[in-house]
Amino acid sequence: MYAAIGSAVDTPQDAAQFNGIIMMPVIIAIMVMMSVMNDPNSDLVFWCSIIPFTSPIVMMARIPFGIPTWQVAVSLVVLYISFVAMTWVAARIFRVGVFMHGKKPTWKDLGAWIKMK
């Protein structure tokens, strides 16, 4: 995600508007990780350990509690698929963003760059 944003902006000040959105899943994962200690098999913890943006942190907190192997496998498969998809999205943004110097991009611009042929 940082590669996509880095290729779309010219200055660190422009990148600051995107940084909050990228950091939000990490903050949410750390908050959910704290609830793992109370109930490692709750619905919230389970789904956050499957969702790709929070799974690396939450799943690592759940593994010592003896969760089923299939949950770890599903988490890894979903994480791998999302990695490939995010790499594709970053490449689409990079393809256009490198040539857009001087223009401060918005979320709408990034969406248009992803769809651009």
Side-chain angles (χ1 to χ4, degrees), residues 2-91:
Y2 277 114
I5 300 305
S7 66
V9 298
D10 292 332
T11 64
Q13 291 80 17
D14 293 343
Q17 70 178 345
F18 299 108
N19 192 34
I21 300 297
I22 293 174
M23 289 302 298
M24 206 51 128
V26 175
I27 294 167
I28 291 169
I30 291 171
M31 291 171 48
V32 170
M33 184 181 67
M34 290 180 208
S35 69
V36 168
M37 305 308 162
N38 295 331
D39 186 10
N41 294 318
S42 69
D43 290 338
L44 173 69
V45 172
F46 170 77
W47 287 109
C48 285
S49 66
I50 300 297
I51 296 171
F53 297 112
T54 58
S55 67
I57 296 171
V58 177
M59 187 55 82
M60 287 294 117
R62 284 187 72 206
I63 288 176
F65 291 100
I67 61 170
T69 306
W70 70 268
Q71 290 181 7
V72 177
V74 168
S75 178
L76 285 172
V77 168
V78 171
L79 191 61
Y80 178 73
I81 291 169
S82 67
F83 166 74
V84 172
M86 191 63 220
T87 303
W88 179 81
V89 167

